[in-house]
């Protein structure tokens, strides 16, 4: 069945450093890849997304890259700040399907 | 914050009981999805409704059922509760009937089954 693997499960960085989270999906028909940030006790919130016809997308300190051939996509956060500390989830959605498959999450700690 | 609300915020039930969780979607959003999020894991897709019809379902047994109403509200019903049903239940709404749309999550209902 469809599966999204996410690594690492925990990531600790120093404030100002970059953080990279990687995901791999199994369903080659997936064509939409959102990333969510979930702070403790709060709802997941979309931070960036990318569609399969685009290789890279950037929004200020956040960027996402997609390699459809390898079925990999990654989240890059530059100049990390303590408020970036949260759990980040990647997800993949199958074109024509109505099911969002989430990764298991990455807990990011940004140390001041 | 999104315009998606859920009730109740917390709920405690015993094994074998039935539970109904409620979601109020953002106005104008015709699609609602429900997810189960166990502690320390990513959300697992339960099902999705579009204009009151179920149009997608994840790997959950039939004792998980849902309803969507014309007033942008919806329900998740779980029968014969099991201990493993303890989780955060999230609903998410989006405007139309396609999956490649931004989903707006509610705050969730935390269910504990004893």
């Amino acid at each position: 069945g469809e599966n999204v693997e996410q690594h690492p499960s925990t990531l600790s960085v120093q404030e100002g450093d970059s953080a990279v989270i990687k995901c791999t999906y199994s369903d080659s028909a997936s064509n939409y890849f959102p990333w969510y940030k979930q702070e403790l006790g709060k709802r997941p919130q979309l931070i960036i997304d990318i569609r399969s016809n685009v290789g890279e997308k950037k929004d200020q300190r956040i960027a996402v890259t997609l390699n459809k051939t390898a079925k990999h996509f990654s989240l890059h956060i530059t100049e990390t700040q303590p408020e970036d500390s949260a759990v980040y989830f990647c997800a993949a959605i199958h074109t024509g399907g109505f099911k969002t498959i989430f990764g298991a999450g990455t807990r990011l700690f940004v140390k001041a | 914050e999104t315009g998606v609300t859920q009730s109740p915020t917390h709920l405690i039930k015993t094994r074998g009981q039935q539970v109904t969780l409620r979601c109020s979607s953002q106005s104008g959003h015709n699609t609602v999805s429900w997810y189960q999020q166990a502690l320390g894991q990513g959300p697992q897709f339960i099902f999705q409704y579009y204009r009151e019809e179920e149009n997608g379902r994840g790997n959950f047994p039939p004792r998980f059922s849902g309803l969507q109403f014309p007033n942008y509200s919806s329900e998740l019903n779980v029968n014969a509760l099991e201990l493993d049903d303890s989780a955060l239940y999230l609903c998410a709404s989006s405007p139309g009937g396609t999956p490649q749309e931004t989903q707006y999550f509610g705050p969730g209902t935390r269910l504990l089954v004893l």
Side-chain angles (χ1 to χ4, degrees):
Chain A
E2 305 99 332
N3 186 45
V4 174
E5 292 190 1
Q6 183 171 347
H7 299 281
S9 57
T10 305
L11 180 59
S12 184
V13 300
Q14 203 68 36
E15 182 179 2
D17 287 350
S18 295
V20 180
I21 302 170
K22 298 182 179 182
C23 289
T24 303
Y25 60 97
S26 60
D27 188 348
S28 57
S30 297
N31 70 342
Y32 176 57
F33 308 92
W35 285 88
Y36 290 88
K37 175 184 180 182
Q38 187 174 29
E39 297 178 58
L40 191 62
K42 296 193 174 181
R43 70 191 78 193
Q45 293 195 305
L46 180 75
I47 55 172
I48 196 167
D49 56 14
I50 191 167
R51 299 181 190 276
S52 60
N53 57 348
V54 175
E56 184 173 356
K57 183 177 178 181
K58 190 172 181 181
D59 182 4
Q60 298 181 8
R61 297 187 296 110
I62 296 173
V64 57
T65 58
L66 171 64
N67 182 331
K68 280 216 75 180
T69 303
K71 293 191 278 188
H72 289 168
F73 58 114
S74 300
L75 178 71
H76 304 251
I77 305 174
T78 58
E79 300 171 26
T80 53
Q81 301 166 3
E83 50 266 38
D84 294 330
S85 296
V87 179
Y88 291 81
F89 293 99
C90 62
I93 301 176
H94 179 290
T95 178
F98 296 89
K99 180 190 294 189
T100 303
I101 307 298
F102 280 84
T106 295
R107 186 171 296 277
L108 174 65
F109 296 96
V110 180
K111 296 176 286 186
Chain B
E1 292 294 337
T2 71
V4 184
T5 59
Q6 290 185 245
S7 63
T9 55
H10 296 82
L11 200 53
I12 300 175
K13 290 286 189 178
T14 56
R15 195 169 45 182
Q17 285 189 310
Q18 179 267 341
V19 69
T20 297
L21 310 181
R22 294 180 173 83
C23 173
S24 180
S25 297
Q26 199 159 312
S27 182
H29 283 192
N30 294 304
T31 299
V32 64
S33 300
W34 285 89
Y35 296 87
Q36 180 194 68
Q37 186 177 23
L39 202 60
Q41 297 183 22
Q44 299 291 312
F45 177 79
I46 302 175
F47 44 56
Q48 183 182 84
Y49 279 77
Y50 173 66
R51 292 189 171 175
E52 303 157 55
E53 297 282 335
E54 183 182 299
N55 68 349
R57 190 175 182 92
N59 298 324
F60 281 81
R63 60 189 184 86
F64 286 77
S65 63
L67 285 171
Q68 185 186 26
F69 303 102
N71 64 351
Y72 305 114
S73 66
S74 59
E75 293 179 353
L76 165 64
N77 298 289
V78 187
N79 293 322
L81 283 167
E82 301 176 0
L83 298 180
D84 285 348
D85 296 333
S86 296
L88 179 69
Y89 288 85
L90 296 160
C91 70
S93 73
S94 54
T98 63
Q100 294 91 18
E101 294 179 320
T102 299
Q103 295 184 65
Y104 298 88
F105 281 87
T109 293
R110 190 163 295 281
L111 172 65
L112 178 61
V113 182
L114 301 175

